[in-house]
């Protein structure tokens, strides 16, 4: 059974840090394009950061320089290191994946990904 399980969310004050993890089971992250998305109440789901199977990454402008996406193939786990957190980063964060070829584009669109985790809440207070 393919499953993505997020962990590491929580509550933090503005300027603080959190590290999200997304552990894959029944699935190989090294053969996948993966990403982090977030959704705040009454807002659409938006892309935060994505990583290609070849290691290329892309970030939303709002998190560039503050967030870092990475992957540990041995642990079959995706990470999102979030530094200098702001209240506007408050949202439910989701891990997503899709098997992709080496020639596939690096996509920030949520609809392109077909495997999703259950989400992890991040709350940043001012």
């Amino acid at each position: 059974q393919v499953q993505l399980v997020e962990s590491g969310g929580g509550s933090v004050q503005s300027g603080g840090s959190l590290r999200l993890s997304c552990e894959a089971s029944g699935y190989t992250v090294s053969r996948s394009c993966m990403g982090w998305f977030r959704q705040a109440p009454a807002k659409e789901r938006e892309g935060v950061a994505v990583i290609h199977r070849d290691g290329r990454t892309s970030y939303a402008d709002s998190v560039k320089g503050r967030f870092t996406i990475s992957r540990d193939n041995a642990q079959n786990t995706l990470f999102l290191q979030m530094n200098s957190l702001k209240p506007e980063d408050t949202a439910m964060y989701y891990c997503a994946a899709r098997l992709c070829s080496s020639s596939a584009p690096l996509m920030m669109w949520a609809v392109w990904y077909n495997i999703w985790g259950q989400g992890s809440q991040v709350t940043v207070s001012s």
Side-chain angles (χ1 to χ4, degrees):
Q1 180 181 359
V2 175
Q3 196 172 13
L4 300 176
V5 179
E6 299 99 333
S7 61
S11 296
V12 65
Q13 289 193 330
S14 182
S17 298
L18 285 172
R19 189 192 196 205
L20 299 181
S21 299
C22 171
E23 184 174 359
S25 58
Y27 193 79
T28 304
V29 300
S30 63
R31 297 171 58 195
S32 304
C33 293
M34 301 188 73
W36 290 97
F37 295 78
R38 67 187 181 187
Q39 188 167 17
K43 291 190 176 181
E44 292 187 356
R45 189 169 297 190
E46 63 173 353
V48 175
V50 293
I51 184 167
H52 199 275
R53 62 179 286 172
D54 65 10
R56 287 179 289 138
T57 59
S58 183
Y59 296 89
D61 289 342
S62 59
V63 306
K64 281 181 182 176
R66 301 188 297 122
F67 291 11
T68 302
I69 189 171
S70 63
R71 183 183 64 213
D72 187 320
N73 293 337
Q75 295 185 37
N76 218 31
T77 301
L78 180 74
F79 301 100
L80 184 68
Q81 178 66 44
M82 303 183 292
N83 298 328
S84 302
L85 282 161
K86 304 175 181 180
E88 51 264 43
D89 294 319
T90 295
M92 184 72 78
Y93 282 71
Y94 298 90
C95 169
R98 174 179 173 140
L99 289 176
C100 66
S101 67
S102 56
S103 62
L106 184 55
M107 303 293 285
M108 189 71 85
W109 293 350
V111 295
W112 192 77
Y113 296 84
N114 55 8
I115 301 171
W116 289 83
Q118 82 289 349
S120 183
Q121 179 66 38
V122 172
T123 302
V124 185
S125 58
S126 58

